[in-house]
Amino acid sequence: MKPKFKVQLLEEANEFLNGLSEKARDKIIYNIRKSQVVNDNQLFKKLNENVWEFRTLHNKVKYRLFAFWDKTDKIETVVISTHGIEKKTKKTPKNEIKKTERIMKEYFDAKK
């Protein structure tokens, strides 16, 4: 199956993944790849108009990688993952969403 979008990890997202155990990292990467071919809210969920999250549950720990869409290239859609957290509460922390929005603005400003 052909992926619906490409995923690009920014430096902070890469650092987050590299700081995890190999099994946790492998599960997150597996879920990201799976979300590229299937629509599943448990794997990739919209948080607001611009911010999405890749979701993984591994050994009772909830991992979240925040992301946004870049559709400026008419040929290929890219999902940019900004950073990740271990989610400890029911609600996604608002400051993490704001951080993603700030990084998104910087990304598109730099692209112009």
Side-chain angles (χ1 to χ4, degrees), residues 5 7 11 17 19 23-24 27 34 48 52 59-60 73 81 87-88 107:
F5 53 85
V7 176
E11 187 176 343
L17 287 174
K23 285 189 176 194
K27 174 106 186 244
K34 189 173 176 185
N48 68 19
W52 291 67
N59 283 346
K60 299 181 183 172
D73 178 357
S81 180
K87 190 173 167 198
K88 307 234 189 282
Y107 171 87

Side-chain angles (χ1 to χ4, degrees), residues 17-48:
L17 287 174
N18 289 333
L20 300 174
S21 73
E22 186 178 347
K23 285 189 176 194
R25 182 174 50 249
D26 288 349
K27 174 106 186 244
I28 292 168
I29 291 168
Y30 171 83
N31 282 350
I32 289 172
R33 289 195 176 125
K34 189 173 176 185
S35 71
Q36 291 176 282
V37 293
V38 298
N39 287 333
D40 186 344
N41 240 7
Q42 295 302 312
L43 297 175
F44 190 52
K45 184 178 177 186
K46 186 174 188 175
L47 298 178
N48 68 19

Side-chain angles (χ1 to χ4, degrees), residues 1-6 35-39 69 76-77:
M1 232 179 185
K2 186 179 185 298
K4 297 179 185 118
F5 53 85
K6 185 177 162 195
S35 71
Q36 291 176 282
V37 293
V38 298
N39 287 333
W69 293 80
E76 188 169 49
T77 300

Side-chain angles (χ1 to χ4, degrees), residues 61-62 85-91 93:
V61 179
K62 296 175 187 170
I85 63 167
E86 285 184 24
K87 190 173 167 198
K88 307 234 189 282
T89 60
K90 276 216 183 278
K91 286 210 169 233

